[in-house]
Amino acid sequence: MSMNNGSAPVWDAGRAQAIIDAHAKLEGASLPILHALQDEFGYIHAEALPLIAETLNLSRAEVVGVVHFYHDFRHEPPGRHTLKVCRAEACQSLGCESLVEHLSEAGIVLGETTADGAITADTVYCLGNCALGPSVMLDGRLYGRVTPSRADQLLATARSGA
Ligand code: FES
């Protein structure tokens, strides 16, 4: 799982190739490579695809197929802050859907980056904080019992750079 916190380095083909090489011998290497690239850069740059294909001796279409099959890969650089909202069962029963709805009314739609580029929001399934849901992770930090107003506070603080 990506723990990227929005301060990912910019795309660097040499660094990407080193990451690809480091995982190339693994069985089913394309998946761990894609995860490692997303962890490093925050997304999968289009130029990574031919590098992976060439290193693993796959066609580019095969690599693209893997990227599209798994929905956790991002194709664009993430926003400055990364918000993950848990929508697994325990958080569901503690009201995470009203939080999701509240966020979306505020322009924070899961799976997207806000128009101002500040926040990339995603769904996750369990953050290991089930008794204290609804749980969110903001820039790698876990928060529990997140009510809509608490979410507003956290996001305002992140946006202000505090
Ligand atoms: S179900 Fe949300 S933290 Fe486990």
Side-chain angles (χ1 to χ4, degrees):
M1 184 198 302
S2 170
M3 297 299 284
N4 184 273
N5 65 5
S7 56
V10 291
W11 168 251
D12 171 340
R15 174 81 194 118
Q17 186 66 58
I19 290 170
I20 295 167
D21 291 342
H23 296 79
K25 295 271 184 295
L26 297 175
E27 189 154 336
S30 45
L31 206 47
I33 286 173
L34 289 165
H35 278 295
L37 290 172
Q38 180 149 299
D39 281 346
E40 176 74 11
F41 299 109
Y43 70 113
I44 307 295
H45 193 290
E47 283 176 22
L49 304 178
L51 299 179
I52 297 170
E54 197 164 310
T55 308
L56 300 185
N57 220 356
L58 298 170
S59 70
R60 196 191 290 211
E62 285 172 296
V63 180
V64 170
V66 175
V67 174
H68 287 281
F69 183 78
Y70 297 94
H71 296 286
D72 19 336
F73 297 120
R74 198 183 307 292
H75 305 280
E76 305 289 336
R80 293 185 293 284
H81 303 283
T82 303
L83 175 72
K84 295 173 193 294
V85 179
C86 176
R87 297 176 86 180
E89 204 178 326
C91 285
Q92 288 276 349
S93 70
L94 291 166
C96 69
E97 288 310 309
S98 20
L99 178 61
V100 170
E101 202 179 308
H102 173 79
L103 290 170
S104 121
E105 279 162 9
I108 299 167
V109 177
L110 301 188
E112 296 180 10
T113 298
T114 52
D116 62 359
I119 295 158
T120 295
D122 278 310
T123 296
V124 286
Y125 292 96
C126 199
L127 288 164
N129 192 44
C130 312
L132 297 175
S135 304
V136 309
M137 188 170 268
L138 179 60
D139 293 338
R141 201 159 158 200
L142 180 65
Y143 298 90
R145 298 203 201 285
V146 179
T147 58
S149 60
R150 176 81 175 121
D152 289 346
Q153 269 173 14
L154 292 171
L155 293 166
T157 306
R159 276 190 152 118
S160 73

